[in-house]
Amino acid sequence: MNKPHISFEFFPPQTPEGVEKLTAARKLLATLNPEFFSVTFGAGGSTQERTMETIQRIHQEGYQAAPHLSCVGSTRENIRALLFAYKDIGIKRIVALRGDLPSGMASIGEFQYANELVAFIRAETGAHFHIEVAAYPEFHPQANSAREDMLNFKRKVDAGANSAITQYFYNADAYFRFVEESRKLGITAPIVPGIMPIMKYSQLARFSDMCGAEIPRWMRKTMEGFGDDTDSVQSFGRDVVTQLCEKLIAGGAPGLHFYTLNQANASLEILNRLGYK
Ligand code: FAD
């Protein structure tokens, strides 16, 4: 089977133990030669320092590191400072997002949507960064309509994004349809599926409700039936997600981006089964 490039996403750890665990996970995942490791950014700047520290660590280890940068609640000045801090240490790729305003934060700040952030990054730093943006095959939960969401995705690409990473999904048809519709709108940027390995059903159900990713009924019912039996949930999850990846690769997906939740094993096992060693 053809092997498109892979990448892994982490969140910035909060404790020294978390840092150690993530370093160990990264070592394992690095054996598969990923194109990059990305690190999330708490909207409103809540993880600003930890994201920067984690990115620096990855960069110093010799891997390509891609910080996420969300603009909601922020100012041009703050975003500019972060962009130049990343540029100065040699970072070349950024995942540009709007983010969600944390509860209790009153002002949306100086950027309303991610397309404004993409345009700002291009205006400030020219072609220096490879810019990734988010895409939603099952549509963003706040979108007025599927059509408007597609057009809003196009705005980000037109503003200068090079490629996109999708929200996770378990229905390959939603992804293929989204790519097809994007191409009809003239979007040629690669659209890399985001892959969420399944570790814990309750956690996945909670996440999915929040971000608008659908867990198909047959999967929900099967996992609910396993109750507290985490081994069965994980074994089922690995089968289902491996099959999903096989379909995506066979259908021409240009890459696979894994939401690792800072754990190596689930992503490693799926990728090993796909022939990545
Ligand atoms: P946008 O592209 O701005 O879209 C948000 C909504 O506004 C959509 O409904 C869209 O249709 C609409 N819209 C967009 N542009 C316009 C416009 N010009 N006019 C009118 N409506 C418009 N969140 C974090 O906080 N930190 C992270 O690190 C992070 N990483 C992520 C990584 C990936 C790969 C993905 C898929 C999501 C990530 N998120 C992260 C979540 C993301 O921030 C949320 O989904 C957020 O609600 C939307 O961000 P966006 O960049 O897609 O926003």
Short mmCIF file of all heavy atoms in Angstrom, two decimals, residues 9 39-43 68-70 95-100 112-116 133-136 140-144 148-150 152-153 155-156 165-168 211 257 259, ligand 1:
data_model
loop_
_atom_site.label_atom_id
_atom_site.label_comp_id
_atom_site.label_asym_id
_atom_site.label_seq_id
_atom_site.Cartn_x
_atom_site.Cartn_y
_atom_site.Cartn_z
N GLU A 9 0.08 15.04 16.60
CA GLU A 9 -0.28 16.23 17.38
C GLU A 9 -0.20 15.94 18.88
O GLU A 9 -0.66 14.89 19.34
CB GLU A 9 -1.70 16.65 17.00
CG GLU A 9 -2.19 17.86 17.74
CD GLU A 9 -3.50 18.39 17.16
OE1 GLU A 9 -3.63 18.48 15.91
OE2 GLU A 9 -4.39 18.69 17.96
N VAL A 39 1.94 21.06 18.10
CA VAL A 39 1.62 21.25 19.53
C VAL A 39 0.47 22.26 19.64
O VAL A 39 0.57 23.37 19.10
CB VAL A 39 2.84 21.76 20.33
CG1 VAL A 39 2.48 21.93 21.81
CG2 VAL A 39 4.03 20.83 20.17
N THR A 40 -0.59 21.87 20.34
CA THR A 40 -1.77 22.73 20.42
C THR A 40 -1.51 23.97 21.27
O THR A 40 -0.52 24.05 22.02
CB THR A 40 -2.98 21.96 20.99
OG1 THR A 40 -2.65 21.52 22.30
CG2 THR A 40 -3.35 20.79 20.13
N PHE A 41 -2.44 24.91 21.14
CA PHE A 41 -2.32 26.22 21.79
C PHE A 41 -3.67 26.51 22.42
O PHE A 41 -4.69 26.51 21.72
CB PHE A 41 -2.00 27.24 20.70
CG PHE A 41 -1.80 28.64 21.17
CD1 PHE A 41 -0.54 29.11 21.49
CD2 PHE A 41 -2.87 29.53 21.25
CE1 PHE A 41 -0.34 30.43 21.88
CE2 PHE A 41 -2.68 30.85 21.64
CZ PHE A 41 -1.40 31.30 21.97
N GLY A 42 -3.70 26.73 23.73
CA GLY A 42 -4.98 27.01 24.40
C GLY A 42 -5.51 28.36 23.96
O GLY A 42 -4.81 29.36 24.06
N ALA A 43 -6.74 28.36 23.43
CA ALA A 43 -7.30 29.62 22.95
C ALA A 43 -7.28 30.66 24.06
O ALA A 43 -7.48 30.33 25.23
CB ALA A 43 -8.72 29.41 22.44
N HIS A 68 0.61 25.27 16.98
CA HIS A 68 -0.72 25.77 16.65
C HIS A 68 -0.77 27.19 17.21
O HIS A 68 -0.14 27.51 18.22
CB HIS A 68 -1.81 24.95 17.34
CG HIS A 68 -1.89 23.54 16.83
ND1 HIS A 68 -3.07 22.83 16.81
CD2 HIS A 68 -0.95 22.70 16.34
CE1 HIS A 68 -2.85 21.62 16.33
NE2 HIS A 68 -1.57 21.51 16.04
N LEU A 69 -1.53 28.02 16.54
CA LEU A 69 -1.66 29.40 16.99
C LEU A 69 -3.11 29.79 16.81
O LEU A 69 -3.62 29.78 15.69
CB LEU A 69 -0.74 30.27 16.12
CG LEU A 69 -0.64 31.74 16.46
CD1 LEU A 69 -0.24 31.94 17.91
CD2 LEU A 69 0.42 32.39 15.56
N SER A 70 -3.80 30.05 17.93
CA SER A 70 -5.20 30.46 17.77
C SER A 70 -5.32 31.92 18.13
O SER A 70 -4.66 32.43 19.03
CB SER A 70 -6.14 29.56 18.58
OG SER A 70 -5.89 29.71 19.94
N VAL A 95 0.17 25.96 12.46
CA VAL A 95 -1.23 25.58 12.28
C VAL A 95 -2.06 26.77 12.77
O VAL A 95 -2.06 27.08 13.97
CB VAL A 95 -1.57 24.29 13.06
CG1 VAL A 95 -3.00 23.84 12.75
CG2 VAL A 95 -0.56 23.17 12.74
N ALA A 96 -2.72 27.46 11.85
CA ALA A 96 -3.39 28.73 12.17
C ALA A 96 -4.89 28.52 12.40
O ALA A 96 -5.59 28.02 11.53
CB ALA A 96 -3.18 29.72 11.03
N LEU A 97 -5.35 28.92 13.59
CA LEU A 97 -6.74 28.64 13.99
C LEU A 97 -7.40 29.85 14.59
O LEU A 97 -6.73 30.75 15.11
CB LEU A 97 -6.72 27.54 15.07
CG LEU A 97 -6.02 26.27 14.65
CD1 LEU A 97 -5.25 25.71 15.80
CD2 LEU A 97 -7.00 25.29 14.07
N ARG A 98 -8.72 29.81 14.60
CA ARG A 98 -9.44 30.83 15.36
C ARG A 98 -9.42 30.47 16.84
O ARG A 98 -9.16 31.29 17.70
CB ARG A 98 -10.88 30.92 14.88
CG ARG A 98 -11.66 32.01 15.60
CD ARG A 98 -13.15 31.85 15.42
NE ARG A 98 -13.67 30.70 16.14
CZ ARG A 98 -14.95 30.39 16.21
NH1 ARG A 98 -15.84 31.12 15.58
NH2 ARG A 98 -15.34 29.34 16.89
N GLY A 99 -9.73 29.20 17.16
CA GLY A 99 -9.89 28.79 18.56
C GLY A 99 -11.30 29.09 19.03
O GLY A 99 -12.11 29.63 18.28
N ASP A 100 -11.59 28.73 20.26
CA ASP A 100 -12.91 29.00 20.86
C ASP A 100 -12.67 29.86 22.09
O ASP A 100 -11.82 29.52 22.92
CB ASP A 100 -13.58 27.69 21.25
CG ASP A 100 -13.91 26.87 20.02
OD1 ASP A 100 -14.58 27.40 19.12
OD2 ASP A 100 -13.46 25.70 19.95
N GLN A 112 -11.37 38.00 14.21
CA GLN A 112 -12.64 37.31 14.39
C GLN A 112 -12.61 35.88 13.86
O GLN A 112 -13.19 34.98 14.44
CB GLN A 112 -13.74 38.11 13.70
CG GLN A 112 -15.06 37.90 14.37
CD GLN A 112 -16.15 38.81 13.81
OE1 GLN A 112 -15.86 39.71 13.03
NE2 GLN A 112 -17.36 38.56 14.21
N TYR A 113 -11.94 35.69 12.72
CA TYR A 113 -11.93 34.37 12.08
C TYR A 113 -10.52 34.00 11.65
O TYR A 113 -9.67 34.88 11.45
CB TYR A 113 -12.86 34.37 10.85
CG TYR A 113 -14.30 34.60 11.21
CD1 TYR A 113 -14.94 35.79 10.87
CD2 TYR A 113 -15.03 33.64 11.91
CE1 TYR A 113 -16.27 36.01 11.21
CE2 TYR A 113 -16.36 33.85 12.25
CZ TYR A 113 -16.97 35.04 11.90
OH TYR A 113 -18.27 35.25 12.25
N ALA A 114 -10.33 32.70 11.44
CA ALA A 114 -8.98 32.22 11.11
C ALA A 114 -8.46 32.79 9.80
O ALA A 114 -7.25 32.97 9.64
CB ALA A 114 -8.98 30.69 11.07
N ASN A 115 -9.34 33.10 8.85
CA ASN A 115 -8.83 33.66 7.57
C ASN A 115 -8.10 34.98 7.82
O ASN A 115 -7.13 35.31 7.13
CB ASN A 115 -9.95 33.81 6.53
CG ASN A 115 -11.02 34.81 6.92
OD1 ASN A 115 -11.78 34.57 7.85
ND2 ASN A 115 -11.07 35.94 6.24
N GLU A 116 -8.53 35.72 8.85
CA GLU A 116 -7.86 37.00 9.17
C GLU A 116 -6.46 36.71 9.73
O GLU A 116 -5.51 37.45 9.47
CB GLU A 116 -8.68 37.80 10.18
CG GLU A 116 -10.04 38.21 9.63
CD GLU A 116 -11.02 38.62 10.72
OE1 GLU A 116 -10.61 39.03 11.83
OE2 GLU A 116 -12.23 38.49 10.46
N VAL A 133 -4.35 25.03 7.96
CA VAL A 133 -5.58 25.49 8.60
C VAL A 133 -6.48 24.28 8.88
O VAL A 133 -6.22 23.18 8.39
CB VAL A 133 -6.35 26.52 7.73
CG1 VAL A 133 -5.63 27.86 7.70
CG2 VAL A 133 -6.61 25.98 6.33
N ALA A 134 -7.53 24.52 9.66
CA ALA A 134 -8.46 23.43 10.00
C ALA A 134 -9.55 23.31 8.95
O ALA A 134 -9.98 24.30 8.38
CB ALA A 134 -9.09 23.72 11.37
N ALA A 135 -9.99 22.06 8.73
CA ALA A 135 -11.11 21.81 7.81
C ALA A 135 -12.06 20.82 8.48
O ALA A 135 -11.63 20.02 9.32
CB ALA A 135 -10.58 21.24 6.49
N TYR A 136 -13.33 20.89 8.11
CA TYR A 136 -14.36 20.12 8.82
C TYR A 136 -15.23 19.31 7.86
O TYR A 136 -16.25 19.81 7.37
CB TYR A 136 -15.24 21.09 9.64
CG TYR A 136 -14.42 21.86 10.65
CD1 TYR A 136 -13.75 23.04 10.29
CD2 TYR A 136 -14.25 21.40 11.95
CE1 TYR A 136 -12.96 23.73 11.18
CE2 TYR A 136 -13.46 22.08 12.86
CZ TYR A 136 -12.82 23.24 12.47
OH TYR A 136 -12.02 23.92 13.36
N HIS A 140 -18.30 22.57 10.65
CA HIS A 140 -18.03 23.17 11.96
C HIS A 140 -19.35 23.36 12.70
O HIS A 140 -20.35 23.74 12.10
CB HIS A 140 -17.32 24.52 11.74
CG HIS A 140 -16.86 25.15 13.01
ND1 HIS A 140 -17.62 26.07 13.70
CD2 HIS A 140 -15.74 24.96 13.75
CE1 HIS A 140 -16.97 26.43 14.80
NE2 HIS A 140 -15.82 25.77 14.85
N PRO A 141 -19.36 23.10 14.02
CA PRO A 141 -20.64 23.15 14.75
C PRO A 141 -21.34 24.52 14.68
O PRO A 141 -22.56 24.57 14.79
CB PRO A 141 -20.26 22.80 16.20
CG PRO A 141 -18.78 22.72 16.25
CD PRO A 141 -18.26 22.60 14.85
N GLN A 142 -20.57 25.60 14.47
CA GLN A 142 -21.24 26.92 14.42
C GLN A 142 -21.59 27.35 13.00
O GLN A 142 -22.10 28.45 12.81
CB GLN A 142 -20.31 27.99 15.01
CG GLN A 142 -20.15 27.87 16.50
CD GLN A 142 -18.86 28.54 16.99
OE1 GLN A 142 -18.12 29.14 16.23
NE2 GLN A 142 -18.62 28.40 18.27
N ALA A 143 -21.32 26.51 12.02
CA ALA A 143 -21.55 26.94 10.63
C ALA A 143 -23.04 27.12 10.37
O ALA A 143 -23.85 26.31 10.80
CB ALA A 143 -20.97 25.90 9.67
N ASN A 144 -23.38 28.19 9.65
CA ASN A 144 -24.79 28.42 9.30
C ASN A 144 -25.30 27.37 8.33
O ASN A 144 -26.44 26.97 8.39
CB ASN A 144 -24.95 29.81 8.65
CG ASN A 144 -24.77 30.90 9.69
OD1 ASN A 144 -25.03 30.67 10.88
ND2 ASN A 144 -24.29 32.05 9.27
N GLU A 148 -21.85 27.48 3.39
CA GLU A 148 -21.10 28.63 3.94
C GLU A 148 -19.81 28.17 4.60
O GLU A 148 -18.79 28.85 4.54
CB GLU A 148 -21.96 29.37 4.99
CG GLU A 148 -22.85 30.41 4.36
CD GLU A 148 -23.57 31.25 5.40
OE1 GLU A 148 -22.93 31.71 6.38
OE2 GLU A 148 -24.79 31.41 5.24
N ASP A 149 -19.86 27.01 5.24
CA ASP A 149 -18.64 26.50 5.88
C ASP A 149 -17.57 26.20 4.83
O ASP A 149 -16.38 26.49 5.04
CB ASP A 149 -18.98 25.24 6.69
CG ASP A 149 -18.07 25.07 7.89
OD1 ASP A 149 -17.59 26.09 8.44
OD2 ASP A 149 -17.82 23.92 8.28
N MET A 150 -18.01 25.64 3.69
CA MET A 150 -17.06 25.37 2.60
C MET A 150 -16.45 26.69 2.11
O MET A 150 -15.25 26.78 1.86
CB MET A 150 -17.77 24.72 1.39
CG MET A 150 -18.29 23.33 1.55
SD MET A 150 -17.06 22.04 1.71
CE MET A 150 -15.84 22.47 0.54
N ASN A 152 -16.17 29.43 3.75
CA ASN A 152 -15.28 29.97 4.78
C ASN A 152 -13.95 29.23 4.79
O ASN A 152 -12.90 29.83 5.05
CB ASN A 152 -15.95 29.92 6.15
CG ASN A 152 -17.07 30.94 6.25
OD1 ASN A 152 -17.01 31.99 5.61
ND2 ASN A 152 -18.09 30.64 7.02
N PHE A 153 -13.99 27.94 4.48
CA PHE A 153 -12.74 27.19 4.34
C PHE A 153 -11.93 27.78 3.17
O PHE A 153 -10.73 28.02 3.27
CB PHE A 153 -13.06 25.70 4.12
CG PHE A 153 -11.85 24.86 3.78
CD1 PHE A 153 -10.70 24.92 4.56
CD2 PHE A 153 -11.85 24.01 2.67
CE1 PHE A 153 -9.57 24.15 4.24
CE2 PHE A 153 -10.74 23.25 2.34
CZ PHE A 153 -9.60 23.32 3.13
N ARG A 155 -11.97 30.77 2.10
CA ARG A 155 -11.39 32.07 2.47
C ARG A 155 -10.00 31.88 3.09
O ARG A 155 -9.10 32.70 2.89
CB ARG A 155 -12.23 32.74 3.57
CG ARG A 155 -13.50 33.37 3.13
CD ARG A 155 -14.14 33.95 4.41
NE ARG A 155 -15.58 34.00 4.31
CZ ARG A 155 -16.26 35.04 3.89
NH1 ARG A 155 -15.64 36.14 3.56
NH2 ARG A 155 -17.57 35.00 3.83
N LYS A 156 -9.85 30.82 3.88
CA LYS A 156 -8.56 30.60 4.55
C LYS A 156 -7.48 30.23 3.54
O LYS A 156 -6.33 30.64 3.65
CB LYS A 156 -8.68 29.49 5.61
CG LYS A 156 -9.63 29.86 6.73
CD LYS A 156 -9.54 28.91 7.91
CE LYS A 156 -10.39 27.68 7.78
NZ LYS A 156 -10.56 26.99 9.07
N ILE A 165 -5.66 20.46 7.73
CA ILE A 165 -5.80 19.22 8.52
C ILE A 165 -7.26 19.18 8.96
O ILE A 165 -7.80 20.19 9.40
CB ILE A 165 -4.91 19.26 9.77
CG1 ILE A 165 -3.44 19.43 9.39
CG2 ILE A 165 -5.11 17.99 10.61
CD1 ILE A 165 -2.50 19.67 10.57
N THR A 166 -7.89 18.02 8.84
CA THR A 166 -9.31 17.99 9.18
C THR A 166 -9.56 17.66 10.65
O THR A 166 -8.73 17.05 11.32
CB THR A 166 -10.09 16.94 8.36
OG1 THR A 166 -9.82 15.63 8.88
CG2 THR A 166 -9.78 17.02 6.88
N GLN A 167 -10.73 18.07 11.10
CA GLN A 167 -11.27 17.54 12.34
C GLN A 167 -11.36 16.02 12.16
O GLN A 167 -11.50 15.54 11.03
CB GLN A 167 -12.67 18.15 12.56
CG GLN A 167 -13.33 17.75 13.84
CD GLN A 167 -12.47 18.13 15.03
OE1 GLN A 167 -11.56 17.37 15.39
NE2 GLN A 167 -12.72 19.28 15.62
N TYR A 168 -11.32 15.27 13.25
CA TYR A 168 -11.42 13.81 13.08
C TYR A 168 -12.84 13.41 12.72
O TYR A 168 -13.80 14.16 12.92
CB TYR A 168 -10.92 13.07 14.32
CG TYR A 168 -11.77 13.24 15.56
CD1 TYR A 168 -12.83 12.39 15.83
CD2 TYR A 168 -11.49 14.23 16.50
CE1 TYR A 168 -13.60 12.53 16.98
CE2 TYR A 168 -12.25 14.39 17.64
CZ TYR A 168 -13.30 13.53 17.88
OH TYR A 168 -14.06 13.69 19.01
N CYS A 211 -17.06 19.04 19.61
CA CYS A 211 -16.47 19.56 18.37
C CYS A 211 -17.27 19.19 17.12
O CYS A 211 -16.88 19.56 16.02
CB CYS A 211 -15.02 19.10 18.23
SG CYS A 211 -14.85 17.36 17.95
N HIS A 257 -2.84 12.71 9.87
CA HIS A 257 -2.40 13.50 11.03
C HIS A 257 -3.06 12.90 12.27
O HIS A 257 -4.30 12.90 12.37
CB HIS A 257 -2.83 14.96 10.84
CG HIS A 257 -2.48 15.85 11.99
ND1 HIS A 257 -1.22 16.39 12.17
CD2 HIS A 257 -3.22 16.30 13.04
CE1 HIS A 257 -1.21 17.15 13.26
NE2 HIS A 257 -2.40 17.11 13.81
N TYR A 259 -4.15 12.61 16.14
CA TYR A 259 -4.39 13.28 17.41
C TYR A 259 -3.96 12.28 18.49
O TYR A 259 -4.72 11.37 18.83
CB TYR A 259 -5.87 13.62 17.56
CG TYR A 259 -6.36 14.62 16.55
CD1 TYR A 259 -7.15 14.24 15.47
CD2 TYR A 259 -6.02 15.96 16.68
CE1 TYR A 259 -7.60 15.18 14.54
CE2 TYR A 259 -6.46 16.90 15.75
CZ TYR A 259 -7.25 16.50 14.69
OH TYR A 259 -7.69 17.43 13.77
P1 FAD B 1 -12.67 29.47 11.43
O1 FAD B 1 -12.10 28.94 10.18
O2 FAD B 1 -12.54 30.93 11.70
O3 FAD B 1 -14.20 29.03 11.47
C1 FAD B 1 -14.98 29.14 12.65
C2 FAD B 1 -16.46 29.27 12.29
O4 FAD B 1 -16.72 30.54 11.72
C3 FAD B 1 -16.97 28.26 11.26
O5 FAD B 1 -18.30 27.95 11.58
C4 FAD B 1 -16.89 29.02 9.94
O6 FAD B 1 -17.84 28.55 8.98
C5 FAD B 1 -17.21 30.44 10.38
N1 FAD B 1 -16.43 31.44 9.61
C6 FAD B 1 -15.13 31.37 9.27
N2 FAD B 1 -14.73 32.46 8.60
C7 FAD B 1 -15.81 33.27 8.53
C8 FAD B 1 -16.01 34.55 7.98
N3 FAD B 1 -15.01 35.23 7.39
N4 FAD B 1 -17.26 35.09 8.09
C9 FAD B 1 -18.27 34.43 8.70
N5 FAD B 1 -18.12 33.18 9.25
C10 FAD B 1 -16.90 32.62 9.17
N6 FAD B 1 -8.39 24.95 19.05
C11 FAD B 1 -7.54 25.53 19.93
O7 FAD B 1 -7.97 26.34 20.75
N7 FAD B 1 -6.21 25.23 19.93
C12 FAD B 1 -5.66 24.38 19.06
O8 FAD B 1 -4.46 24.14 19.08
C13 FAD B 1 -6.51 23.75 18.09
N8 FAD B 1 -6.03 22.91 17.16
C14 FAD B 1 -6.87 22.41 16.19
C15 FAD B 1 -6.31 21.63 15.16
C16 FAD B 1 -7.13 21.12 14.15
C17 FAD B 1 -6.50 20.32 13.04
C18 FAD B 1 -8.53 21.36 14.18
C19 FAD B 1 -9.44 20.77 13.14
C20 FAD B 1 -9.08 22.12 15.21
C21 FAD B 1 -8.26 22.67 16.21
N9 FAD B 1 -8.76 23.50 17.21
C22 FAD B 1 -7.90 24.08 18.14
C23 FAD B 1 -10.20 23.76 17.31
C24 FAD B 1 -10.60 25.05 16.58
O9 FAD B 1 -9.97 26.16 17.15
C25 FAD B 1 -12.13 25.19 16.71
O10 FAD B 1 -12.76 24.20 15.94
C26 FAD B 1 -12.69 26.57 16.42
O11 FAD B 1 -14.06 26.57 16.79
C27 FAD B 1 -12.65 26.96 14.94
O12 FAD B 1 -11.40 27.26 14.54
P2 FAD B 1 -11.10 27.48 12.97
O13 FAD B 1 -9.71 27.90 12.85
O14 FAD B 1 -11.57 26.33 12.19
O15 FAD B 1 -12.08 28.75 12.72
#
